Amino acid sequence: MLNGSWVRKVFCIVFCVVFCNTMFLPFAIAESGDEYLLPPPLSVEMKQEESMFRRMSVRDFTNDTVTDEELSTILWAACGFQSDGDRTIPGINTTFAGIIYVLKEDAAYIYNPVNHSLVFFKAGDWRDEVGWQYVAPIQLGLCYDTTLADSCFGGAELGQIGQNIQLMANALGLGTVVCGQIPPAIEPLGIPENQEGMIVMPLGHPISVYDFRNRPLWFSTFPRLKTSPISLSTALETRNESTSFHGTLSKAEISQFLWCTYGFSPYVDRSDQERNSIIRHRVVPSAHGYYPFKMYAVTENGVFYYQPNLLVKFNRYQVDFIGLPIVTYLFKKVTGDYRQEIAEASGQPSIASAPLIILPVLDIEMTRPPGKDDLSGEEDRRFWYFEAGAAAQNVLLEATAWNLSAALILPDDIPALQSVLYLDEESLPLFLLPIGT
Ligand SMILES: Cc1cc2nc3c(=O)[nH]c(=O)nc-3n(C[C@H](O)[C@H](O)[C@H](O)COP(=O)(O)O)c2cc1C
């Protein structure tokens, strides 16, 4: 039995604990640098290629909450750590300059991939100000550290991060869209001076449920696409890069790799029932839907470039092809083995033995279509690096899925590469993507 003084003591202790917690709770939450561990990421069983078939931009969201498990999975996919200590993205020149701000209703946080946690940054609801384009339950602000990367390399890394976010969001039944920002909409948040905002990605549940129909209309000398046995989560968990490349690749494998850089989905999208539109999306997003790259393929037989859909030629700058068939080709530009010359021009001798080198070549003329916004300026170049980074990330994931090796290499000397590939000044090879065993 407790006597009166014990009851008083217990009451006082309980009162103090409850009072102090309540009183200091706002301060505890609002403390800059406080860290909140995220739950372990979910294992997503959707096949790697299926997630690329389903890639599309989503701009209208319901009010439904994004759960901590979903957010954890998307942030891990973006740039988290694999269990062996590697990352889901390669980084550019092994430097990781990307930073993700996570804007929730209560506050702004920074994703910390090392602890897989959210670090408190600033109190308040910043979602509408930073994510002014589209209303969503979460806004992701993609920035890069200017002491580690310039706007081009920063853009390339954010392209890899953004691609992982989009593939994983769509695979979870959520949606997102890449929104390019000049000037950076994240600036009012007061990010440190050495950080530059570039992209905002709203994240939430799509208002229109995904509705894809498999229409693999495919007129080509290329073999049909194949689906690997690897899931998106496994590809992200086991992705890595190589420094030496050997072996041979079949026509089907070359076709598959070119497709995953810039190809069209075999699915048509019927999600937008209001407008009753039928859209065939590509495997990567593109600013204004311009898709200004030519994907070059260099093999022992010559230099080629990939035409994802010949029908694009009839309507050069439009994204929506009303579900028209895919008429895909590989055009030969030069006959002969140019791999050694390319390896020398890029300062990377080890890639000369790669059976396939893909080069995303930016056609600057395509970034200023007549009568439309001119995105050919130096300040916009970061967005094209972003797009090439997204295509490169697909190659790295696809190489993992087929047990092959790949790497993302930045050329030392772009003019030297232009000369080897007979490219004019308006055609810029941004990366080299060697692929082999
Ligand atoms: C670097 C970059 C910037 C973009 N900026 C915007 C944007 O500001 N607003 C927007 O609605 N979509 C933006 N997009 C998305 C494109 O409009 C979209 O990818 C393109 O129209 C193709 O549509 P899809 O992704 O649904 O296939 C951007 C895409 C990229 C890669």
Side-chain angles (χ1 to χ4, degrees), residues 211-333:
D211 183 1
F212 293 106
R213 315 281 165 88
N214 190 11
R215 301 271 185 276
L217 296 169
W218 182 269
F219 299 101
S220 176
T221 51
F222 272 177
R224 287 275 182 105
L225 296 173
K226 285 207 223 146
T227 305
S228 63
I230 298 280
S231 71
L232 177 60
S233 286
T234 308
L236 288 163
E237 169 59 29
T238 52
R239 184 216 63 75
N240 60 17
E241 312 88 61
S242 183
T243 47
S244 69
F245 307 90
H246 304 283
T248 52
L249 291 181
S250 66
K251 201 174 174 186
E253 285 168 326
I254 292 174
S255 155
Q256 187 91 7
F257 277 106
L258 285 166
W259 165 77
C260 82
T261 59
Y262 228 42
F264 283 86
S265 173
Y267 292 175
V268 292
D269 161 27
R270 302 292 308 256
S271 317
D272 191 350
Q273 280 154 4
E274 226 168 75
R275 276 184 276 162
N276 200 24
S277 61
I278 311 168
I279 301 172
R280 224 183 249 292
H281 299 275
R282 296 207 201 195
V283 290
V284 290
S286 180
H288 281 32
Y290 285 176
Y291 290 102
F293 283 90
K294 254 195 190 144
M295 295 297 167
Y296 273 67
V298 181
T299 71
E300 62 178 347
N301 298 321
V303 178
F304 305 81
Y305 65 87
Y306 174 60
Q307 178 53 263
N309 193 348
L310 203 63
L311 298 177
V312 175
K313 291 239 159 172
F314 297 116
N315 203 345
R316 203 167 167 204
Y317 301 114
Q318 213 174 312
V319 182
D320 175 356
F321 298 103
I322 52 167
L324 289 172
I326 308 160
V327 186
T328 181
Y329 281 99
L330 194 59
F331 289 98
K332 192 177 233 181
K333 191 167 175 178

Side-chain angles (χ1 to χ4, degrees), residues 36-50:
Y36 305 90
L37 289 183
L38 288 160
L42 303 166
S43 179
V44 173
E45 294 310 316
M46 182 180 286
K47 294 284 178 281
Q48 152 69 27
E49 289 80 10
E50 173 80 8

Side-chain angles (χ1 to χ4, degrees), residues 61-127:
F61 306 94
T62 67
N63 292 328
D64 296 342
T65 322
V66 173
T67 65
D68 284 350
E69 285 75 18
E70 288 166 337
L71 183 61
S72 154
T73 312
I74 286 166
L75 292 172
W76 170 78
C79 59
F81 275 84
Q82 303 167 335
S83 32
D84 68 358
D86 218 335
R87 303 275 291 262
T88 57
I89 52 161
I92 306 290
N93 289 339
T94 64
T95 301
F96 293 92
I99 301 146
I100 307 178
Y101 284 84
V102 181
L103 312 184
K104 300 172 81 172
E105 193 177 0
D106 62 325
Y109 301 85
I110 299 173
Y111 174 55
N112 175 6
V114 178
N115 297 340
H116 192 53
S117 61
L118 292 182
V119 179
F120 179 89
F121 181 69
K122 201 171 267 186
D125 188 348
W126 296 87
R127 294 172 301 170

Side-chain angles (χ1 to χ4, degrees), residues 338-349 351-352 412-413 416 420:
Y338 285 80
R339 292 174 300 163
Q340 186 69 42
E341 281 178 62
I342 284 172
E344 277 162 22
S346 59
Q348 301 284 341
I351 69 172
D412 286 344
D413 188 348
V420 174

Side-chain angles (χ1 to χ4, degrees), residues 55 57 59 133-134 177-180 281 285-287 291 319 383:
R55 191 218 62 81
S57 303
R59 296 177 174 85
Q133 283 195 46
Y134 305 106
V177 56
V178 173
C179 297
H281 299 275
S286 180
Y291 290 102
V319 182
F383 297 130

